Amino acid sequence: MARSQWGSRLGFILAAAGSAIGLGAIWKFPYVAATNGGGAFLFIYLGICLTLGLVLMLAEMALGRATSAGAVGAFRKLAGGFWPLIGYMGVLVCFLILSFYSVVGGWTIAYIVKSLQGGIMTSDPKALGAIFGGFISDPVQPLLYHGGFALLTLAVVVGGVQKGIEALSKFLMPALFALMLVLIARGLTLPGALEGVSYFVAPDFSKVSASMLVDALGLAFFSLSLGLGIMITYGSYVGRESKLLGSALWVILLTVATCFLAGLMVLPAVFAFGFDPSAGPGLTFITMPAVFAHLPLGQLFAVMFFCLLLLAALTSSVSLLEVVTSFAIDELRLSRRTAAILMAAGTFLLGIPASLSLGVWGDYQLFGMNFFDLLDFVTSKLLMPAGELLLALFVGWKAWPVVRAELSSGRSPRAMQCMRGFCMALAPLLIGCIMVASFR
Ligand code: PFF
C-alpha cells in the first residue's frame, strides 16, 4: 500500500513546525537563556540551530523519505547491527520527555483557569512567585491538570484528529505570533524594560562556559524536536518532488523566531517588574501575568495567551505520543487504541513523581537534582545530544549514498562533500567535546 503523504508541502512544514514549536520555545527557552546570562547564550543557541540543527534536520527528513519508514525502521532498513538502537533510544527519550512535558502542559491549563478567575492579575513579583510556587508544590492540583493534559493528548492521537490539528496549526502560528507581538510591545514600553533587552541580546562572551554550551546544545535539539526520529517519521510522508532543504529551513526559522520573540516577551518584563531572571522553570508563568495586569483587557489577553500556549504544547505532545504509539503498534503488535492508551498511561504515571518532586517529594534527590530536573537533564543533556552524535556518524559513514541521493539534485558536489565531512567528523566532534567538557 502506498504510504500516505502530506496534503501539501505547507502541510508538512506546519506539522513539523507544530511539533517543534511548543513549551520548548515559550516556557523553556526564556528561563534557560536567562539563567545562562542572556546575550551570549542566544547567539550560541542560534549558531547551533543554523548549523548542526539544519544539517541534522535535513538528514533526518532525508532518511525518512528514502526509507518510507519511522524512527526504528529507517535504521533497520539501511543497516543492521546496533544502528537501530538509535531509533529505540529515540522512542525511549520521547517517552521520558512526554512524562514531564505533560506536567508543564498541565500548568498551562491551570493558568487558563486562574486567568479566568482573575486571581493572577497583579504585578507584584512576590505575590506571583507565591501563586506559582504554591500551585506546583501542591500534592494534588498539578496532578489533576497533568492528567487532563495527558487525556487531551491521548484524545487527539486515538481520535485521529491529527488532520484537525494540522488545520489548527495554520491558525495557531499566526495567532501566536500576533499575540506575542502585542505582549512584546507592551513589555518594551514599560520603564526599565530596555535593560532586559540588552541582557537578552547583547552578548557577553566572558559568560561562555561548558555548561552553557551543553545547555544550548540540548535546548536546540529539544526545541527543534531533533534526534528522536520525529523528523524521520514526518519525512517519510513527504513526496519526492518536495524540496527538503527549503522545508527544513522554514521549520528552523519559525522555531528560532518563536524562541526569540518569547525571550523578547519575557525578559524585558522580568527587568521592568524586578523579577529574578534566574527564577528557573517558573519564569514565563510568573512574569507574564504582570504584563497582563498592565494591559487594557488584560484578563482576556491572559486567557488567550495560555490557550495558545496549550495548543502549541498539544501539537508537540501529540508528536511525542505518536512516536511511542507507532512503536508499540509495530513492535508489540497492539491495536492503535490500546497502544496509545497504554503509552499515555505510562507517561502519566512517570509524570507523577516528576510533579511531586517540585513539592512534597523535593527532598528526594539524585546527583543533587530532584526527579523533574533529573528527567530534563537525562533527556536534554545526555540522551538527545548522544542520539544526534550517533545520527551524524550514521549519516556520514553508513547511510551517505542514500542521503546524498535524496538531497543532491541541483546542488554542487562540493556542497554535498562538505555536508558529508560535517556529519562524519565535525558534528560528532563538536557534540562529543561539549558533552565531555560539561562533565568535567
Ligand atoms: N520541540 C518541542 C518543544 O519545544 O516544545 C518538544 C519536543 C517535541 C521535543 C518532540 C522533542 C520531540 F521529539
Side-chain angles (χ1 to χ4, degrees):
M1 200 174 78
R3 200 169 170 88
S4 67
Q5 293 198 346
W6 303 106
S8 65
R9 179 159 173 251
L10 181 66
F12 166 54
I13 294 174
L14 281 177
S19 165
I21 298 173
L23 295 170
I26 301 166
W27 157 71
K28 204 169 186 200
F29 178 82
Y31 86 79
V32 178
T35 28
N36 277 298
F41 181 87
L42 173 68
F43 277 82
I44 292 169
Y45 169 81
L46 289 177
I48 294 177
C49 287
L50 293 171
T51 52
L52 274 173
L54 178 61
V55 169
L56 293 170
M57 182 172 291
L58 254 181
E60 279 200 35
M61 288 175 173
L63 284 176
R65 187 165 74 175
T67 55
S68 296
V72 176
F75 293 101
R76 204 183 275 143
K77 270 194 181 170
L78 294 175
F82 69 90
W83 292 109
L85 276 181
I86 309 178
Y88 288 109
M89 192 164 100
V91 175
L92 172 72
V93 179
C94 281
F95 187 88
L96 297 177
I97 291 183
L98 188 53
S99 68
F100 72 88
Y101 203 83
S102 165
V103 171
V104 183
W107 299 352
T108 62
I109 306 179
Y111 266 70
I112 295 174
V113 176
K114 287 183 196 302
S115 310
L116 285 170
Q117 293 166 337
I120 53 170
M121 303 307 283
T122 164
S123 51
D124 175 6
K126 278 216 178 66
L128 287 169
I131 292 171
F132 181 76
F135 166 67
I136 61 163
S137 58
D138 185 277
V140 180
Q141 284 216 21
L143 294 185
L144 297 179
Y145 288 113
H146 160 49
F149 186 86
L151 276 179
L152 279 177
T153 307
L154 177 65
V156 176
V157 171
V158 172
V161 284
Q162 264 96 332
K163 284 265 165 325
I165 285 253
E166 252 178 82
L168 191 73
S169 295
K170 283 190 192 157
F171 140 87
L172 174 66
M173 259 174 260
L176 194 65
F177 274 57
L179 182 63
M180 284 167 92
L181 288 176
V182 172
L183 298 174
I184 289 170
R186 174 65 274 213
L188 287 181
T189 45
L190 291 165
L194 290 184
E195 207 186 319
V197 178
S198 82
Y199 183 81
F200 179 47
V201 299
D204 171 1
F205 287 106
S206 66
K207 288 190 181 148
V208 177
S209 64
S211 90
M212 173 204 262
L213 291 176
V214 81
D215 269 350
L217 194 69
L219 186 59
F221 296 151
F222 185 91
S223 60
L224 294 173
S225 297
L226 283 183
L228 312 181
I230 287 187
M231 295 301 162
I232 297 184
T233 312
Y234 281 14
S236 71
Y237 303 118
V238 179
R240 299 258 116 221
E241 61 298 336
S242 260
K243 297 248 183 309
L244 292 182
L245 177 63
S247 307
L249 262 177
W250 265 111
V251 176
I252 290 181
L253 289 180
L254 285 171
T255 309
V256 297
T258 314
C259 287
F260 183 73
L261 292 181
L264 264 192
M265 179 179 82
V266 173
L267 285 169
V270 165
F271 281 78
F273 293 113
F275 290 97
D276 173 11
S278 57
L283 197 66
T284 301
F285 289 89
I286 295 174
T287 310
M288 290 318 292
V291 179
F292 304 132
H294 282 253
L295 264 177
L297 300 178
Q299 197 173 354
L300 182 67
F301 277 104
V303 175
M304 271 166 36
F305 175 76
F306 288 113
C307 281
L308 287 175
L309 187 53
L310 170 65
L311 290 175
L314 266 177
T315 55
S316 304
S317 63
V318 162
S319 72
L320 288 162
L321 185 59
E322 196 50 60
V323 169
V324 282
T325 300
S326 324
F327 171 80
I329 296 172
D330 294 346
E331 307 286 318
L332 309 176
R333 309 253 160 257
L334 298 175
S335 74
R336 184 172 181 83
R337 196 185 168 82
T338 317
I341 293 176
L342 273 182
M343 294 299 142
T347 54
F348 171 69
L349 290 178
L350 191 64
I352 293 177
S355 179
L356 292 178
S357 74
L358 298 171
V360 285
W361 288 1
D363 289 339
Y364 299 112
Q365 305 229 334
L366 205 61
F367 307 115
M369 284 177 268
N370 62 33
F371 190 58
F372 185 96
D373 292 338
L374 192 69
L375 275 177
D376 184 25
F377 174 85
V378 168
T379 50
S380 281
K381 295 190 200 168
L382 279 182
L383 297 178
M384 290 183 91
E388 287 296 351
L389 193 157
L390 293 172
L391 178 76
L393 290 175
F394 180 72
V395 171
W397 294 92
K398 269 303 236 199
W400 182 248
V402 174
V403 172
R404 188 186 48 204
E406 285 300 317
L407 299 176
S408 60
S409 96
R411 224 147 270 136
S412 74
R414 175 165 259 173
M416 295 310 294
Q417 222 28 48
C418 281
M419 178 169 168
R420 182 175 195 194
F422 190 78
C423 290
M424 283 173 109
L426 196 59
L429 255 174
L430 259 175
I431 300 174
C433 287
I434 294 178
M435 288 179 76
V436 170
S438 74
F439 286 115
R440 287 196 322 127

